[in-house]
């Protein structure tokens, strides 16, 4: 015996909207989001202009007399290692050096109290150039990074490893630090006095 064919009766089965239909609320919201993402991706991206003083990673703005931005801990470690700052910088770079202190670094030294009074007195030396910064109550490391990226004519002197890591990311800005009771410069080919 064979099967009897059943003919489908029209208008008996209920019609259901497919879940992929645009009229379903969740699909409508997803479509809106995808359209918004496409519009944002089409907008022009802002790319910072490369400084004209850089020839690849070589910075042509750096030249004697060198301006050196000094961090708080660099002054403290120089005192601990009994290094005369200006003379040691000149021995390292074999050129005239002008140590520069920002307002944030001075504020940080003043906050440290009487324990670091010698460092504060050294930073107030007339041979040190005082650089006003526009940041209000900013963290000193952020201030130094901003100054270095904005001008790119400074060498940043610090013994802080985290700050040195941030300085390495800025092309054309060398960093000075203390190793083996001497000053050393990183990423600067003209520093003939620096120990290798």
């Amino acid at each position: 015996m064979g099967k009897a064919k059943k003919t489908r009766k029209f208008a008996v089965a209920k019609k259901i909207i497919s879940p992929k239909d645009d009229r379903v609320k969740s699909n409508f919201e997803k479509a809106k989001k995808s359209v918004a993402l496409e519009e944002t991706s089409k907008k022009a991206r802002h790319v910072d202009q490369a400084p004209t003083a850089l020839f690849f990673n070589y910075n042509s703005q750096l030249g004697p007399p060198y301006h050196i931005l000094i961090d708080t801990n660099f002054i403290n470690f120089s005192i601990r290692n009994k290094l005369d700052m200006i003379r040691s910088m000149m021995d390292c770079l074999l050129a005239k050096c002008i140590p520069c202190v920002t307002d944030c670094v001075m504020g940080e030294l003043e906050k440290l109290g009487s324990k670091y009074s010698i460092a504060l007195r050294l930073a107030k030396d007339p041979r040190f150039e005082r650089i006003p910064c526009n940041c209000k109550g900013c963290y000193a490391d952020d201030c130094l990074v901003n100054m270095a990226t904005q001008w790119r004519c400074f060498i940043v002197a610090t013994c802080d490893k985290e700050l040195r890591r941030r300085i390495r990311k800025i092309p054309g800005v060398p960093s000075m630090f203390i190793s083996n009771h001497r000053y050393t410069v990183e990423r600067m080919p003209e520093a003939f006095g620096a120990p290798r």
Side-chain angles (χ1 to χ4, degrees):
M1 282 185 59
K3 281 188 179 179
K5 280 190 178 179
K6 285 186 179 180
T7 56
R8 191 167 172 205
K9 293 179 181 174
F10 295 103
V12 174
K14 291 182 179 178
K15 289 192 175 180
I16 300 170
I17 297 175
S18 78
K20 294 178 182 175
D21 200 325
D22 288 338
R23 291 174 286 179
V24 178
K25 195 173 187 180
S26 61
N27 291 338
F28 182 70
E29 288 171 359
K30 283 179 186 175
K32 263 190 176 179
K33 283 181 184 177
S34 64
V35 169
L37 282 172
E38 285 175 14
E39 286 177 5
T40 54
S41 64
K42 286 179 184 176
K43 286 182 183 175
R45 289 180 293 143
H46 174 71
V47 179
D48 291 330
Q49 185 179 357
T52 54
L54 287 181
F55 179 74
F56 294 108
N57 271 349
Y58 178 75
N59 192 351
S60 60
Q61 276 185 335
L62 283 173
Y66 294 107
H67 292 270
I68 300 168
L69 279 176
I70 298 171
D71 191 23
T72 313
N73 58 17
F74 190 79
I75 299 171
N76 294 334
F77 279 106
S78 296
I79 293 166
R80 279 189 196 167
N81 288 316
K82 297 176 182 169
L83 294 168
D84 178 23
M85 288 185 76
I86 295 173
R87 186 175 296 149
S88 298
M89 285 176 185
M90 288 176 145
D91 290 344
C92 178
L93 296 170
L94 300 178
K96 187 174 190 244
C97 300
I98 302 165
C100 305
V101 181
T102 61
D103 291 340
C104 291
V105 172
M106 286 297 275
E108 199 174 271
L109 279 168
E110 287 166 1
K111 281 180 192 171
L112 288 172
S114 60
K115 191 177 179 184
Y116 297 97
S117 60
I118 298 167
L120 182 63
R121 202 171 341 135
L122 183 65
K124 287 181 178 176
D125 192 309
R127 295 177 295 176
F128 284 47
E129 190 177 310
R130 182 82 179 263
I131 297 177
C133 57
N134 298 330
C135 48
K136 292 175 175 69
C138 179
Y139 184 47
D141 289 2
D142 295 337
C143 178
L144 291 173
V145 169
N146 289 340
M147 293 285 278
T149 47
Q150 192 175 12
W151 302 109
R152 291 182 204 254
C153 60
F154 294 109
I155 298 169
V156 181
T158 183
C159 292
D160 184 13
K161 285 183 180 176
E162 186 57 41
L163 179 58
R164 275 176 54 204
R165 194 175 295 124
R166 285 172 70 183
I167 294 294
R168 278 188 205 115
K169 291 177 184 172
I170 309 166
V173 179
S175 65
M176 183 180 276
F177 58 98
I178 300 172
S179 70
N180 297 331
H181 305 285
R182 288 180 70 184
Y183 289 171
T184 334
V185 177
E186 193 176 61
R187 296 193 315 163
M188 189 167 177
E190 305 95 53
F192 298 114
R196 298 283 174 223

